[in-house]
Amino acid sequence: MGVSVLGFKIVDDDGCFNMGLLREILAEIVGTFFLIVLGCGGVQAACADKGADEALGSARILEIGIAFGLGIGGTVHLFSDISGGQLNPAVSFGLFFARKLSLVRAAILSVAQIIGGLIAAGIMKAIFGNAPGAVSMGTGISGGTGLILEFLGTFFLVMTVLATINSKRGHAAGYLQPLSIGIAILVAHMFLVPLTGCGINPARSLATNIIEGAIGGDFYAYILGPLLGSVVGGLIYEFIFDPHYGAAEKYTAVEETNGEATEMT
């Protein structure tokens, strides 16, 4: 028997573990692995010829944004029918606060995302001698300012994801929907890379910075900012914008389809 509080699903109806969930866990591990390899690999490629005291520059920022945006868009499309291609604890908990995912499932998938990120960041460090993509505050950016910036970027991302998966909206072809998420990621990186490094994903930030040994005193911004963005984004979309499209559909957990692929609408 599932557990719900005020309409928020805490435990799925058939408990915590089943074959469908195991597939989702594997999809999130592999998907976040790809996110780090493709996105942070893009950072390595963009900065390979950068001097130690040289400014990052708009061309490199754009290259990094494209690497993350297209890499994540493609990975979301790859795993959207299995786990939703969440790849980010902030997205997972945003889905919980939007009453689209149970709390237990969001927590389990978040751990899977961190594991996938750590594996990828470890391999990248073994190859390049460092973990590319480790985040840090830009010149003059305090931890508090960084927290606000990370919140804003994640808030935008979570709202974009919730609008994209809303089956009550008229959508373009399903294969174009992950592109909207990728574009949101690209734009967020163009804004935030020179300011905070653009974490907006606790799994990515934890993975790269743990492997690089770069957990500083302001690292809290990369955890609290995105998680606050997931709470605010999930609640605002669910209770303010989603009612525009009519009554919410009954909660349907992925395992109720026995893990079978469902079409992204």
Side-chain angles (χ1 to χ4, degrees), residues 30-54:
V30 176
T32 311
F33 176 90
F34 285 159
L35 182 160
I36 297 293
V37 169
L38 297 172
C40 295
V43 174
Q44 177 67 26
C47 299
D49 61 348
K50 176 181 172 296
D53 299 323
E54 184 182 353

Side-chain angles (χ1 to χ4, degrees), residues 169-242:
R169 301 181 67 194
H171 279 302
Y175 63 84
L176 292 177
Q177 294 170 31
L179 183 61
S180 66
I181 297 173
I183 291 172
I185 294 288
L186 188 158
V187 172
H189 276 73
M190 292 178 68
F191 168 41
L192 291 176
V193 162
L195 302 176
T196 67
C198 194
I200 64 171
N201 181 338
R204 172 263 169 109
S205 300
L206 279 168
T208 54
N209 285 55
I210 286 174
I211 295 299
E212 187 64 11
I215 303 293
D218 55 10
F219 190 76
Y220 67 89
Y222 297 102
I223 306 299
L224 294 182
L227 292 181
L228 287 172
S230 74
V231 174
V232 175
L235 292 176
I236 286 179
Y237 193 87
E238 173 66 9
F239 292 102
I240 296 179
F241 296 120
D242 190 64

Side-chain angles (χ1 to χ4, degrees), residues 88-248:
N88 184 341
V91 170
S92 297
F93 282 101
L95 291 170
F96 164 69
F97 285 104
R99 301 192 293 188
K100 304 294 187 294
L101 195 71
S102 73
L103 179 60
V104 168
R105 207 177 202 87
I108 291 172
L109 295 181
S110 294
V111 172
Q113 293 153 7
I114 294 170
I115 291 171
L118 286 168
I119 294 170
I123 291 174
M124 298 292 277
K125 184 163 186 176
I127 294 172
F128 299 113
N130 68 294
V135 290
S136 61
M137 296 297 169
T139 303
I141 304 296
S142 66
T145 300
L147 187 153
I148 294 171
L149 292 169
E150 288 288 305
F151 163 80
L152 291 173
T154 311
F155 177 46
F156 171 59
L157 172 61
V158 170
M159 293 280 283
T160 300
V161 169
L162 291 172
T164 298
I165 67 171
N166 189 342
S167 62
K168 291 174 284 186
R169 301 181 67 194
H171 279 302
Y175 63 84
L176 292 177
Q177 294 170 31
L179 183 61
S180 66
I181 297 173
I183 291 172
I185 294 288
L186 188 158
V187 172
H189 276 73
M190 292 178 68
F191 168 41
L192 291 176
V193 162
L195 302 176
T196 67
C198 194
I200 64 171
N201 181 338
R204 172 263 169 109
S205 300
L206 279 168
T208 54
N209 285 55
I210 286 174
I211 295 299
E212 187 64 11
I215 303 293
D218 55 10
F219 190 76
Y220 67 89
Y222 297 102
I223 306 299
L224 294 182
L227 292 181
L228 287 172
S230 74
V231 174
V232 175
L235 292 176
I236 286 179
Y237 193 87
E238 173 66 9
F239 292 102
I240 296 179
F241 296 120
D242 190 64
H244 169 76
Y245 301 101

Side-chain angles (χ1 to χ4, degrees), residues 61-84:
I61 293 171
L62 178 60
E63 185 176 346
I64 292 168
I66 290 173
F68 273 101
L70 295 185
I72 290 174
T75 306
V76 168
H77 181 61
L78 180 61
F79 293 112
S80 62
D81 293 336
I82 300 173
S83 65

